[in-house]
Amino acid sequence: MPIITDPWFYLLAVPALLITGISKGGFASGGGNLAVPAMALLVPAPQAAAITLPVLCAMDIAGLRAWWGRWSGREMRAILPGGLLGILLGAFAFGFMSNNGTKLMVGAISLAFIARGIWVARHGPPEPAPPNAIKGGFWGMVSGFTSTLAHAGGPPIAMYLYPLRLPRAQLAATTVVFFGVVNYVKLVPYAALGQLSATNLLTSLVLLPLAPIGVRLGIWLQGRVSDKVFYRVIYVLLGVTGAKLVMEGLGL
């Protein structure tokens, strides 16, 4: 079949992409790391990333419209060049990593995201940090790299942006615009590496209606629901999928 028909795949993919869309809408920005880990439980991790990318690009259109002009120009100049370099490095690594290696990386990033969240919850957020173009470029590069391999660029970029204590709307806009640019640039290496196959694209098309629904939910939830509720859901789901992926990546 030229499309994935396994109902279990969609049972995982639909809620995972809705959660991703909510984060893309700026609610609990940086928390939407669930799509690839969830799908990778049933299909190869590179295929999960390829199916997710067109849906992310559609989400980015809605997100960019909602947050256009509200980002921090200073921080975009710091993180975006590194992000583009990270995409280039990730494209080279994409062709060499095995499926188990990619699963291990995705699972490890998921668990690291949870560990950071627990540390912040217990010790409080770090002291406000001043802008630093070198740090911004480094974490932008790491984010571009992990985003290319598994759309898992949220935790690395959060390592730089969150300590700056930007206003909530500016943080959300900066994150949304950064990943909007990164995702559209990623289409080039994904196409060159043969990841945008007919099966992957048709499966993306089936999932595409979730893009505007998730983003609009994220925008609507701003100011109505605490981020903590959303993050708790993310932590539970990521904990289960991350641990499973790490075990599979290690061959256990």
Side-chain angles (χ1 to χ4, degrees):
M1 294 289 292
I3 190 172
I4 294 177
T5 57
D6 184 355
W8 290 105
F9 170 82
Y10 293 99
L11 188 65
L12 292 174
V14 170
L17 284 170
L18 281 175
I19 290 172
T20 301
I22 289 171
S23 181
K24 282 280 187 181
F27 178 71
S29 184
N33 304 288
L34 188 60
V36 173
M39 293 184 201
L41 294 174
L42 291 176
V43 300
Q47 184 180 17
I51 291 169
T52 304
L53 182 55
V55 184
L56 292 179
C57 288
M59 291 177 180
D60 288 328
I61 294 175
L64 289 170
R65 289 179 60 188
W67 295 101
W68 189 257
R70 302 169 70 181
W71 64 84
S72 168
R74 179 190 64 202
E75 301 313 328
M76 286 298 294
R77 288 190 294 272
I79 62 179
L80 189 55
L84 298 177
L85 176 59
I87 293 172
L88 181 62
L89 297 174
F92 283 112
F94 202 105
F96 295 102
M97 288 186 68
S98 66
N99 181 46
N100 279 351
T102 306
K103 283 187 174 183
L104 180 60
M105 187 200 72
V106 174
I109 291 174
S110 300
L111 296 179
F113 179 77
I114 296 172
R116 181 187 180 278
I118 294 173
W119 188 93
V120 170
R122 289 185 176 180
H123 299 89
E127 292 297 320
N132 187 306
I134 294 176
K135 287 184 180 179
F138 171 77
W139 287 113
M141 179 186 67
V142 176
S143 180
F145 179 82
T146 56
S147 181
T148 301
L149 290 173
H151 311 313
I157 207 63
M159 295 294 290
Y160 174 68
L161 289 178
Y162 282 17
L164 298 180
R165 303 286 184 87
L166 298 173
R168 179 170 175 170
Q170 192 176 63
L171 172 64
T174 302
T175 304
V176 167
V177 173
F178 173 76
F179 285 113
V181 174
V182 164
N183 285 333
Y184 274 92
V185 172
K186 283 182 337 194
L187 288 170
V188 177
Y190 269 60
L193 292 166
Q195 292 298 315
L196 301 182
S197 65
T199 295
N200 292 343
L201 287 175
L202 287 172
T203 304
S204 298
L205 186 62
V206 172
L207 298 169
L208 199 60
L210 299 172
I213 296 172
V215 172
R216 288 172 184 170
L217 276 173
I219 295 170
W220 183 82
L221 287 170
Q222 286 280 347
R224 290 182 171 88
V225 179
S226 169
D227 287 1
K228 292 181 180 179
V229 175
F230 185 77
Y231 276 119
R232 284 171 184 166
V233 174
I234 290 289
Y235 289 164
V236 171
L237 296 175
L238 273 179
V240 174
T241 56
K244 182 72 164 56
L245 289 172
V246 167
M247 291 177 66
E248 290 184 5
L250 293 173
L252 300 177

